[in-house]
Amino acid sequence: MDELPEREEREFPKPPKEPTQPPSTPAARPMPPAEDTTDADLHPRFWEAQLEAARRGSLAWGFAAFFIGYGGYYLVVLILHAIRPSRANGFDPTAPPNTGPLLLLAFAPNILLGLVPAAFSWWRGNGLRSDFGILPKRRDFKVGLACGAIALVGSWVLAVVIIAISGPPPETDLTRLMQGERTVWLFLFALFAFLGAPLTEELLMRGALWGALEHYRIPRYAILVLTSLIFALIHQEVWRTPVLFVGGLAIGAARMITGRVVASMIAHATNNFLPALLLFAVAG
């Protein structure tokens, strides 16, 4: 018989060696260190304003908007004063309509203060919502109301001190009008003081001017003081300049904390609330 061919030897894999240590489990592995999510570049108190500034981009055009807006305002004021009728015969409290329309007309130039920054924002910037944070958030109301209340109390306390030292303030068209017949002019004046002035003045001061200074990396507290001083001076009321400066500091603080102009608008309106309410009562 023929011999059977020898069976080929096959190599079979050797069984794995028993591990000397148990495999590591997720619980047994050392936990990685927690990631630090804080940004060292953000100020712990003003982080919100810094984020808003980074999102809005350049407001270098704010200087042009400020000077053109205030220049136009001042020019119109000069024209109104030039065409204003003389008061050589004094004021007649029985005929306040002659003063009422003029008093309201004096606020017409104020519209330029807000209109020019708004036009620049649409033309050179990214719009009011992006450049100035014009849409309010819940936090804007909280900060704005708090800063406005501080501005109101601080301004009134300082006004009382000034009156005690130097006597009552000089008479103005508003005080003359309040002495005469109660008319709709007082109501319109109060409405503009409560809603109109905070909108236009804040777009100019804490919007265009603040944004331009912030663009050139001026320290935030220097911006606060400078804008408050200019805010007081543009009112051109010597007696009220210290009062307006103190109020401007508190109003500007709302802008400095949130980075949005709408917060300072709310603070400004809060500061004007009681005077406007007084005028509403007188006009009623």
Side-chain angles (χ1 to χ4, degrees):
M1 291 181 63
D2 295 333
E3 294 181 1
L4 293 175
E6 296 182 0
R7 184 179 298 175
E8 295 182 20
E9 294 183 2
R10 298 180 181 176
E11 274 187 61
F12 293 95
K14 298 179 181 181
K17 296 181 179 180
E18 291 293 331
T20 56
Q21 295 180 351
S24 59
T25 60
R29 293 175 187 157
M31 294 292 292
E35 183 180 358
D36 186 6
T37 57
T38 59
D39 191 339
D41 294 332
L42 294 180
H43 192 283
R45 185 179 303 126
F46 302 112
W47 59 269
E48 187 176 5
Q50 289 176 287
L51 291 177
E52 289 289 341
R55 280 195 288 263
R56 80 170 57 96
S58 171
L59 259 68
W61 48 263
F63 282 136
F66 172 79
F67 286 113
I68 294 175
Y70 182 66
Y73 162 84
Y74 194 68
L75 179 62
V76 175
V77 168
L78 291 178
I79 293 174
L80 290 177
H81 277 288
I83 64 176
R84 186 172 180 162
S86 173
R87 292 194 174 277
N89 298 327
F91 175 76
D92 182 5
T94 62
N98 293 330
T99 300
L102 289 174
L103 181 64
L104 195 63
L105 185 62
F107 271 90
N110 199 289
I111 298 175
L112 290 174
L113 299 180
L115 184 60
V116 173
F120 265 86
S121 177
W122 294 322
W123 173 41
R124 298 288 302 277
N126 300 313
L128 295 176
R129 180 175 181 178
S130 177
D131 293 335
F132 301 133
I134 204 70
L135 293 181
K137 300 179 180 180
R138 179 179 296 180
R139 178 165 166 77
D140 295 324
F141 283 101
K142 292 181 180 179
V143 175
L145 290 173
C147 291
I150 294 173
L152 180 62
V153 173
S155 299
W156 278 55
V157 169
L158 183 57
V160 170
V161 172
I162 294 176
I163 292 174
I165 295 175
S166 61
E171 191 177 45
T172 63
D173 283 346
L174 179 59
T175 55
R176 295 187 187 103
L177 183 59
M178 292 176 67
Q179 294 168 5
E181 182 183 351
R182 310 315 181 211
T183 67
V184 69
W185 301 111
L186 274 175
F187 176 83
L188 295 176
F189 183 93
L191 187 63
F192 186 86
F194 179 56
L195 297 177
L199 176 64
T200 59
E201 293 174 9
E202 292 307 310
L203 280 176
L204 183 79
M205 299 303 309
R206 259 67 68 162
L209 182 58
W210 189 299
L213 293 170
E214 190 176 57
H215 170 78
Y216 289 102
R217 301 185 181 278
I218 305 299
R220 62 176 62 88
Y221 286 104
I223 298 177
L224 175 64
V225 172
L226 182 60
T227 53
S228 300
L229 180 60
I230 297 175
F231 170 76
L233 293 176
I234 65 172
H235 283 79
Q236 302 178 34
E237 299 177 48
V238 176
W239 188 90
R240 290 183 63 215
T241 297
V243 176
L244 291 166
F245 175 72
V246 170
L249 288 174
I251 293 171
R255 165 66 173 80
M256 185 170 65
I257 293 170
T258 64
R260 292 179 292 274
V261 180
V262 69
S264 62
M265 289 178 180
I266 295 171
H268 197 152
T270 304
N271 178 69
N272 290 5
F273 174 72
L274 284 183
L277 185 63
L278 176 61
L279 292 176
F280 275 123
V282 171

